[in-house]
Amino acid sequence: MCRDIKILRLPYAPGVTDRDVQAAAIQYVQTVSGFRRPVPGDAELFDRAVDAIASVTRDLLAQLEARAPAGPATG
């Protein structure tokens, strides 16, 4: 599911913008709902879902501890 959504957390994605978070939220809602664009009667619901997911994503990214990816084992 949502294979095209990129990783948004540090250190894998420095410089993530609000636009990046919003795009990921839109893509998620599109995938889950099965609609690229909602029908007019569902547009408000679609937009609320995108906003909620973007907000939760921002909270998640703000609270995650950024860790460097594991390097090759030494020894």
Side-chain angles (χ1 to χ4, degrees):
M1 180 174 86
C2 299
R3 291 188 179 127
D4 293 335
I5 295 176
K6 65 181 182 175
I7 295 173
L8 299 178
R9 78 170 179 88
L10 292 171
Y12 304 101
V16 171
T17 66
D18 194 51
R19 176 178 265 178
D20 295 325
V21 172
Q22 195 74 8
I26 290 168
Q27 198 167 19
Y28 177 84
V29 172
Q30 289 172 339
T31 299
V32 170
S33 69
F35 293 106
R36 177 138 174 83
R37 296 181 194 267
V39 296
D42 291 335
E44 183 180 337
L45 177 63
F46 191 93
D47 291 343
R48 281 197 326 253
V50 168
D51 290 343
I53 291 166
S55 177
V56 169
T57 300
R58 281 186 218 96
D59 290 346
L60 173 67
L61 294 173
Q63 294 178 43
L64 285 173
E65 291 182 33
R67 295 190 180 121
T74 59

